[in-house]
Amino acid sequence: MRAQVAIIGAGPAGLLLGALLHRAGIDALIVEQRSADHVLGRIRAGVLEQTTVDLLDAAGVGERMHREGLLHDGIELCFGGTRHRIDLKTLTGGKHVMVYGQTEVTRDLMHARDAAGLKTIYEAEHVSLHDFDGAHPRVRYQQAGATHEIECDFIAGCDGFHGVSRASVPAGAIQVHEKVYPFGWLGLLSETPPVSPELIYSNHERGFALCSMRSLHRSRYYLQCPIDDKVEAWSDEAFWAELRRRLDREAAESLVTGPSLEKSIAPLRSFVAEPMRFGRLFLAGDAAHIVPPTGAKGLNLAASDVGYLSRALAAFYAGSEEGLNHYSERCLRRVWKAVRFSWWFTSLMHRFPETGVFGQKLQAAELDYLVHSTAASTVLAENYVGLPLRD
Ligand code: APR
Ligand code: PHB
């Protein structure tokens, strides 16, 4: 088999890259180790920056998102028993975010790929990357006992944090930077109306809580929990009772509860691998970096990476290597800013056992400053809606 670009992984990064390359007239094959249903079964965040919305439009997959997605002009911060609104739109000169689940983005990308007759190889086993330090890289995989090989010009490693792409790079060629947080997020999805029209990020002495949504009748809630908690130990009733305790009185009283459709615990981590290019292998999305979910930057970073990569590959086939040569540096400038923001927002909103009362007093002072200073609110707002894509 031959393709100009072999993409490893059919998560949002791989699928969006495939769609953008198709629009640019570049043929790409996607190799994914799981089934499409398995990929769609993963519940992830759901807040899209305008730059991500623009890329999905450019890829021709924005139609349902514009129809069903919810535009949010603000978020609420809850602390000391009171909610304070951060007016994203006013503070950023008219910007907003689109609330639309990553699962739906992935579904739209899969449908568009099928409709265009583009090939995704699902349930590929033992995927391996070869010769990306030369001009003729290859990807091998097994399926139904047979070994297959793809000859390509480039490999895009879009296979997430646990993927094979980053692991294929010689240890001496890559640097990793990592911070693991001492707690997790317990998430619950339910077919219930959201407690409030906008997202609520709550700093509470019992721990952080987040009220998010997937639609006007489907809600997504999170609780900070000990990292070693077992999801089976959390009944739905225990979840709802704990969420109520961590919200202001009005929200607690108006919260509509119901059976969970999904419940899971995720660890929180900041991770960056540098560089993001190794010869003809380019890492994108979670394969290269992870941010904690506070602020929902993960999917947006994956989208901006593949935005840069698709442009760079189109320029390569038109005769310029400039984009490829600057890919890693361009991505990482943006990545580190999102890593900083996600770390800061996480540090501000969660309970850190080791920082004691002094740490809590600092958080309270910063939150008070944040909601009463236009300068401080603007810093939060412009990072939340997303920093501009730079050349
Ligand atoms: N071979 C082929 N595919 C693989 C391999 C492998 N060895 N290892 C992993 N994959 C697949 C996974 O099954 C998954 O479908 O790569 C895909 C990676 O998808 P994601 O983990 O979703 O990562 P990415 O596409 O970079 O998405 C960015 O944004 O909200 C955040 O972390 C969240 O997933 C999200 C991310
Ligand atoms: C979500 O809806 O899952 C979500 C929203 C905002 C976040 C994180 C997760 O900051």
Side-chain angles (χ1 to χ4, degrees):
M1 264 180 287
R2 151 120 205 122
Q4 286 170 295
V5 181
I7 299 174
I8 319 291
L15 288 164
L16 179 55
L17 179 62
L20 292 168
L21 291 178
H22 178 59
R23 290 261 150 164
I26 298 168
D27 77 277
L29 260 177
I30 304 185
V31 183
E32 162 63 51
Q33 71 176 4
R34 305 288 194 163
S35 67
D37 282 346
H38 185 277
V39 172
L40 287 172
R42 292 191 286 241
I43 312 277
R44 300 270 174 81
V47 179
L48 309 183
E49 299 174 359
Q50 187 61 46
T51 52
T52 304
V53 169
D54 292 344
L55 281 166
L56 292 165
D57 282 336
V61 295
E63 196 259 331
R64 190 166 69 101
M65 167 182 68
H66 288 291
R67 203 160 16 92
E68 297 180 13
L70 305 169
L71 287 178
H72 281 203
D73 293 340
I75 56 170
E76 292 193 289
L77 299 184
C78 180
F79 54 93
T82 311
R83 269 186 274 162
H84 305 261
R85 184 165 190 264
I86 301 290
D87 188 332
L88 299 174
K89 190 173 180 182
T90 304
L91 291 164
T92 60
K95 295 194 178 145
H96 43 227
V97 290
M98 169 79 81
V99 173
Y100 188 64
Q102 177 171 320
T103 311
E104 302 315 311
V105 172
T106 309
R107 200 187 307 280
D108 294 345
L109 285 161
M110 283 180 174
H111 281 159
R113 199 165 169 83
D114 288 347
L118 303 172
K119 187 162 175 177
T120 309
I121 299 149
Y122 286 102
E123 302 185 85
E125 292 168 6
H126 308 293
V127 176
S128 58
L129 288 64
H130 306 271
D131 301 336
F132 51 82
D133 51 351
H136 304 289
R138 286 168 300 121
V139 172
R140 260 189 230 134
Y141 64 93
Q142 289 181 10
Q143 212 169 34
T147 302
H148 303 268
E149 187 168 280
I150 304 167
E151 293 174 2
C152 54
D153 300 333
F154 297 99
I155 303 176
C158 302
D159 47 351
F161 183 64
H162 300 287
V164 66
S165 299
R166 193 180 70 252
S168 304
V169 174
I174 194 164
Q175 261 199 309
V176 299
H177 310 280
E178 182 168 33
K179 179 179 172 59
V180 177
Y181 299 83
F183 41 73
W185 273 23
L186 168 66
L188 180 147
L189 185 71
S190 62
E191 196 66 14
T192 54
V195 66
S196 181
E198 294 179 341
L199 271 60
I200 304 174
Y201 290 84
S202 182
N203 174 310
H204 190 272
E205 61 191 26
R206 298 179 62 89
F208 170 74
L210 169 60
C211 304
S212 183
M213 65 193 72
R214 291 290 172 269
S215 68
L216 295 178
H217 48 82
R218 186 169 281 203
S219 299
R220 179 73 169 160
Y221 296 106
Y222 297 96
L223 295 173
Q224 175 185 351
C225 68
I227 191 63
D228 48 6
D229 265 15
K230 299 280 167 273
V231 70
E232 309 79 54
W234 278 92
S235 66
D236 290 359
E237 291 67 33
F239 183 98
W240 293 119
E242 186 60 27
L243 178 61
R244 271 208 184 89
R245 286 192 199 105
R246 298 186 190 185
L247 298 177
D248 60 287
R249 182 196 292 257
E250 189 200 336
E253 282 173 1
S254 57
L255 181 70
V256 180
T257 64
S260 60
L261 302 175
E262 192 263 1
K263 212 160 38 185
S264 53
I265 295 181
L268 272 71
R269 164 197 321 269
S270 301
F271 174 92
V272 181
E274 296 183 328
M276 289 170 59
R277 175 199 184 165
F278 308 88
R280 287 186 170 230
L281 167 63
F282 294 81
L283 301 181
D286 278 15
H289 41 73
I290 297 280
V291 289
T294 333
K297 291 293 169 215
L299 172 60
N300 292 295
L301 280 182
S304 55
D305 286 353
V306 300
Y308 285 130
L309 186 53
S310 61
R311 241 176 37 193
L313 288 167
F316 172 85
Y317 288 110
S320 165
E321 292 204 30
E322 191 272 343
L324 293 180
N325 292 336
H326 289 97
Y327 170 75
S328 181
E329 169 205 322
R330 279 197 178 110
C331 290
L332 285 165
R333 276 180 73 191
R334 189 174 169 79
V335 165
W336 274 111
K337 290 191 186 89
V339 168
R340 186 211 67 81
F341 172 68
S342 309
W343 159 82
W344 168 79
F345 203 17
T346 302
S347 307
L348 180 68
M349 299 308 293
H350 292 73
R351 199 86 335 192
F352 286 78
E354 72 279 10
T355 62
V357 178
F358 186 76
Q360 289 168 33
K361 293 278 182 192
L362 290 182
Q363 279 187 343
E366 185 165 2
L367 283 163
D368 191 28
Y369 173 58
L370 188 57
V371 300
H372 292 109
S373 154
T374 306
S377 304
T378 305
V379 172
L380 168 58
E382 76 180 15
N383 280 277
Y384 195 89
V385 301
L387 298 175
L389 277 180
R390 288 185 201 286
D391 280 334

